[in-house]
Protein backbone atom coordinates (compact mmCIF):
# COMPACT_ATOMS: atom_id res chain seq x y z
CA UNK A 1 0.00 0.00 0.00
CA UNK A 2 1.12 3.56 -0.70
CA UNK A 3 -0.14 6.38 1.45
CA UNK A 4 1.29 9.62 2.74
CA UNK A 5 0.78 11.39 6.02
CA UNK A 6 1.79 15.07 5.75
CA UNK A 7 2.47 16.92 9.00
CA UNK A 8 3.25 20.63 8.97
CA UNK A 9 3.58 23.29 11.61
CA UNK A 10 5.95 25.75 13.28
CA UNK A 11 9.05 24.80 15.30
CA UNK A 12 8.51 23.09 18.67
CA UNK A 13 4.78 22.50 18.19
CA UNK A 14 5.35 18.75 18.63
CA UNK A 15 5.12 17.67 15.00
CA UNK A 16 8.39 15.71 14.99
CA UNK A 17 7.40 13.72 18.08
CA UNK A 18 3.94 13.07 16.66
CA UNK A 19 5.34 12.10 13.24
CA UNK A 20 7.84 9.64 14.75
CA UNK A 21 5.15 8.11 16.97
CA UNK A 22 2.77 7.65 14.02
CA UNK A 23 5.50 6.09 11.90
CA UNK A 24 6.38 3.65 14.68
CA UNK A 25 2.79 2.68 15.47
CA UNK A 26 1.87 2.24 11.82
CA UNK A 27 5.20 0.64 10.86
CA UNK A 28 5.89 3.07 8.04
CA UNK A 29 8.86 5.22 7.01
CA UNK A 30 9.52 8.70 8.41
CA UNK A 31 11.29 11.71 6.92
CA UNK A 32 12.07 14.83 8.94
CA UNK A 33 12.29 17.26 6.00
CA UNK A 34 13.74 19.99 8.24
CA UNK A 35 16.95 17.93 8.18
CA UNK A 36 17.31 18.56 4.45
CA UNK A 37 17.29 22.32 4.97
CA UNK A 38 19.49 22.04 8.05
CA UNK A 39 22.05 20.01 6.09
CA UNK A 40 22.05 22.54 3.25
CA UNK A 41 22.40 25.38 5.80
CA UNK A 42 25.35 23.61 7.43
CA UNK A 43 27.11 23.17 4.08
CA UNK A 44 26.49 26.84 3.23
CA UNK A 45 27.95 27.89 6.61
CA UNK A 46 31.11 26.03 5.48
CA UNK A 47 31.22 28.11 2.30
CA UNK A 48 29.23 25.99 -0.18
CA UNK A 49 26.84 27.48 -2.72
CA UNK A 50 23.25 26.91 -1.49
CA UNK A 51 21.85 25.46 -4.70
CA UNK A 52 24.89 23.25 -5.35
CA UNK A 53 24.65 22.00 -1.76
CA UNK A 54 20.93 21.18 -2.19
CA UNK A 55 21.54 19.40 -5.50
CA UNK A 56 24.32 17.23 -4.13
CA UNK A 57 22.81 16.36 -0.74
CA UNK A 58 23.57 12.80 0.40
CA UNK A 59 22.26 10.51 3.14
CA UNK A 60 25.56 11.12 4.97
CA UNK A 61 24.81 14.87 5.11
CA UNK A 62 21.52 14.10 6.88
CA UNK A 63 23.37 12.12 9.55
CA UNK A 64 25.68 15.00 10.54
CA UNK A 65 25.75 15.35 14.34
CA UNK A 66 25.58 19.17 14.31
CA UNK A 67 22.21 19.59 12.56
CA UNK A 68 20.20 20.12 15.76
CA UNK A 69 22.13 23.19 16.85
CA UNK A 70 20.61 26.66 17.02
CA UNK A 71 23.05 27.82 14.34
CA UNK A 72 21.84 25.06 12.02
CA UNK A 73 18.17 26.02 12.54
CA UNK A 74 18.87 29.65 11.75
CA UNK A 75 20.92 28.71 8.69
CA UNK A 76 18.16 26.30 7.60
CA UNK A 77 15.41 28.89 7.72
CA UNK A 78 17.58 31.27 5.65
CA UNK A 79 18.38 28.82 2.85
CA UNK A 80 14.75 27.61 2.96
CA UNK A 81 13.64 31.02 1.68
CA UNK A 82 15.56 30.46 -1.60
CA UNK A 83 13.22 29.07 -4.30
CA UNK A 84 16.07 27.28 -6.13
CA UNK A 85 17.05 25.43 -2.96
CA UNK A 86 13.43 24.35 -2.36
CA UNK A 87 13.08 23.22 -5.99
CA UNK A 88 16.22 21.09 -5.74
CA UNK A 89 14.77 19.21 -2.75
CA UNK A 90 11.29 18.47 -4.15
CA UNK A 91 11.99 15.19 -5.99
CA UNK A 92 13.75 13.56 -3.06
CA UNK A 93 10.78 14.34 -0.78
CA UNK A 94 8.15 13.19 -3.31
CA UNK A 95 9.96 9.92 -3.97
CA UNK A 96 10.14 9.29 -0.25
CA UNK A 97 6.44 10.14 0.20
CA UNK A 98 5.22 7.61 -2.38
CA UNK A 99 7.40 4.72 -1.31
CA UNK A 100 5.80 1.32 -0.97
CA UNK A 101 4.35 0.77 2.49
CA UNK A 102 3.55 4.41 3.17
CA UNK A 103 5.39 7.33 4.73
CA UNK A 104 5.09 10.17 7.21
CA UNK A 105 6.82 13.45 6.33
CA UNK A 106 6.98 16.47 8.56
CA UNK A 107 7.93 20.01 7.63
CA UNK A 108 6.41 23.33 6.62
CA UNK A 109 5.01 22.78 3.12
CA UNK A 110 4.34 19.04 2.92
CA UNK A 111 0.54 19.27 2.73
CA UNK A 112 0.54 22.40 0.57
CA UNK A 113 3.38 21.93 -1.96
CA UNK A 114 5.27 18.64 -1.68
CA UNK A 115 2.32 16.26 -1.23
CA UNK A 116 -0.93 18.13 -1.96
CA UNK A 117 -2.55 14.70 -2.55
CA UNK A 118 -1.50 13.21 0.80
CA UNK A 119 -4.17 10.94 2.22
CA UNK A 120 -3.84 12.53 5.68
CA UNK A 121 -2.79 16.12 6.45
CA UNK A 122 -2.20 17.46 9.93
CA UNK A 123 -1.19 20.98 10.93
CA UNK A 124 0.33 20.84 14.39
CA UNK A 125 0.63 24.16 16.16
CA UNK A 126 0.85 25.82 19.62
CA UNK A 127 1.21 29.40 20.76
CA UNK A 128 4.69 30.92 20.54
CA UNK A 129 5.15 31.26 24.34
CA UNK A 130 4.41 27.57 24.87
CA UNK A 131 6.76 26.52 22.08
CA UNK A 132 9.55 28.77 23.36
CA UNK A 133 9.13 27.38 26.88
CA UNK A 134 9.38 23.79 25.55
CA UNK A 135 12.62 24.62 23.71
CA UNK A 136 14.01 26.41 26.76
CA UNK A 137 13.18 23.47 29.07
CA UNK A 138 14.74 21.03 26.57
CA UNK A 139 17.90 23.17 26.64
CA UNK A 140 18.07 22.96 30.46
CA UNK A 141 15.53 25.53 31.76
CA UNK A 142 17.26 27.63 34.44
CA UNK A 143 20.58 26.18 33.24
CA UNK A 144 19.89 26.77 29.52
CA UNK A 145 22.49 28.88 27.70
CA UNK A 146 19.88 31.48 26.81
CA UNK A 147 17.07 33.06 28.85
CA UNK A 148 13.47 32.25 27.98
CA UNK A 149 12.92 35.74 26.52
CA UNK A 150 15.73 35.21 23.97
CA UNK A 151 14.37 31.80 22.97
CA UNK A 152 10.94 33.41 22.48
CA UNK A 153 12.46 36.12 20.26
CA UNK A 154 14.13 33.45 18.14
CA UNK A 155 10.94 31.40 17.85
CA UNK A 156 9.03 34.50 16.73
CA UNK A 157 11.73 35.50 14.23
CA UNK A 158 11.79 32.00 12.72
CA UNK A 159 7.96 31.91 12.52
CA UNK A 160 7.95 35.28 10.77
CA UNK A 161 10.56 34.10 8.25
CA UNK A 162 8.80 30.76 7.62
CA UNK A 163 5.33 32.31 7.30
CA UNK A 164 6.38 35.43 5.45
CA UNK A 165 8.49 33.98 2.65
CA UNK A 166 7.07 34.19 -0.85
CA UNK A 167 7.86 30.59 -1.85
CA UNK A 168 6.00 27.80 0.03
CA UNK A 169 5.23 29.79 3.19
CA UNK A 170 4.19 27.93 6.33
CA UNK A 171 0.40 27.67 6.38
CA UNK A 172 -2.16 24.89 6.84
CA UNK A 173 -3.46 23.15 3.72
CA UNK A 174 -7.19 23.80 3.26
CA UNK A 175 -8.01 20.19 4.04
CA UNK A 176 -5.60 19.81 6.97
CA UNK A 177 -6.80 18.89 10.43
CA UNK A 178 -5.51 21.52 12.87
CA UNK A 179 -4.06 20.06 16.05
CA UNK A 180 -3.30 22.75 18.65
CA UNK A 181 -1.01 21.26 21.29
CA UNK A 182 -0.84 24.34 23.56
CA UNK A 183 -2.96 22.67 26.23
CA UNK A 184 -2.18 19.02 25.37
CA UNK A 185 0.44 16.72 26.80
CA UNK A 186 2.34 14.81 24.16
CA UNK A 187 0.55 11.46 24.72
CA UNK A 188 -2.84 13.10 24.18
CA UNK A 189 -1.56 14.88 21.08
CA UNK A 190 -0.27 11.57 19.66
CA UNK A 191 -3.59 9.84 20.46
CA UNK A 192 -5.53 12.58 18.60
CA UNK A 193 -3.22 12.35 15.60
CA UNK A 194 -3.57 8.56 15.49
CA UNK A 195 -7.33 8.90 15.68
CA UNK A 196 -7.29 11.34 12.75
CA UNK A 197 -5.22 8.89 10.69
CA UNK A 198 -7.49 5.96 11.53
CA UNK A 199 -10.61 8.00 10.67
CA UNK A 200 -9.12 8.91 7.31
CA UNK A 201 -7.73 5.51 6.39
CA UNK A 202 -10.65 3.43 7.58
CA UNK A 203 -13.69 5.63 7.04
CA UNK A 204 -16.85 4.38 8.70
CA UNK A 205 -20.23 5.13 7.17
O1 LIG B 1 11.63 21.55 11.23
P1 LIG B 1 12.97 22.19 11.48
O2 LIG B 1 12.97 23.14 12.62
O3 LIG B 1 14.07 21.20 11.54
O4 LIG B 1 13.25 23.05 10.14
C1 LIG B 1 14.31 23.96 10.06
C2 LIG B 1 13.95 25.04 9.05
O5 LIG B 1 13.87 24.46 7.74
C3 LIG B 1 12.58 25.69 9.28
O6 LIG B 1 12.64 26.82 10.12
C4 LIG B 1 12.16 26.07 7.86
O7 LIG B 1 12.65 27.33 7.51
C5 LIG B 1 12.84 25.05 6.98
N1 LIG B 1 11.93 24.03 6.48
C6 LIG B 1 11.15 24.34 5.37
N2 LIG B 1 10.36 23.40 4.81
C7 LIG B 1 10.28 22.17 5.34
C8 LIG B 1 11.03 21.83 6.48
C9 LIG B 1 11.85 22.80 7.05
O8 LIG B 1 11.20 25.47 4.90
N3 LIG B 1 9.50 21.26 4.74
Amino acid sequence: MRFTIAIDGPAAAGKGTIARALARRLGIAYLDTGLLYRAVGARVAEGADPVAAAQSLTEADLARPDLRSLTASEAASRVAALPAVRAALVDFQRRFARRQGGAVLDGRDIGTVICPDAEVKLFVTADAETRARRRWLEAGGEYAPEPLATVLDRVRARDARDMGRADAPLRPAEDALILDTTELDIDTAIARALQAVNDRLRPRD
Side-chain angles (χ1 to χ4, degrees):
M1 173 157 76
R2 285 175 208 270
F3 68 92
T4 307
I5 300 174
I7 306 187
D8 292 304
K15 63 182 187 309
T17 309
I18 292 172
R20 266 189 300 277
L22 290 182
R24 209 173 32 243
R25 302 267 181 101
L26 300 167
I28 62 180
Y30 166 55
L31 179 64
D32 169 1
T33 65
L35 279 183
L36 304 175
Y37 295 90
R38 286 169 183 265
V40 173
R43 296 265 303 272
V44 170
E46 292 165 352
D49 169 74
V51 178
Q55 283 167 343
S56 62
L57 214 60
T58 64
E59 296 279 331
D61 290 315
L62 302 185
R64 284 175 65 139
D66 56 347
L67 297 185
R68 290 283 157 211
S69 70
L70 212 56
T71 327
S73 5
E74 299 281 324
S77 97
R78 288 178 202 286
V79 296
L82 304 173
V85 166
R86 305 198 71 85
L89 299 174
V90 167
D91 282 351
F92 179 88
Q93 295 174 83
R94 287 197 178 141
R95 269 198 309 276
F96 192 96
R98 299 319 279 176
R99 69 205 279 145
Q100 191 64 36
V104 184
L105 285 80
D106 79 42
R108 302 292 187 289
D109 62 341
I110 309 304
T112 49
V113 174
I114 303 296
C115 305
D117 298 329
E119 283 73 12
V120 181
K121 295 181 189 175
L122 298 177
F123 191 85
V124 181
T125 188
D127 66 38
E129 288 76 11
T130 303
R131 292 186 285 118
R133 177 166 288 277
R134 288 176 187 162
R135 275 289 141 90
W136 179 72
L137 289 173
E138 270 168 26
E142 296 290 322
Y143 304 100
E146 291 184 326
L148 179 56
T150 309
V151 180
L152 179 57
D153 285 347
R154 285 185 191 280
V155 162
R156 289 204 170 117
R158 191 134 76 94
D159 283 356
R161 206 153 45 222
D162 288 349
M163 292 175 191
R165 67 181 174 224
D167 190 23
L170 170 64
R171 61 174 177 80
E174 273 176 22
D175 51 348
L177 175 88
I178 311 282
L179 186 56
D180 188 326
T181 67
T182 306
E183 305 284 342
L184 301 182
D185 63 47
I186 194 63
D187 290 337
T188 312
I190 290 169
R192 298 243 176 114
L194 201 54
Q195 184 65 53
V197 172
N198 286 336
D199 287 349
R200 182 71 184 82
L201 295 182
R202 286 182 228 117
R204 286 172 222 122
D205 46 18

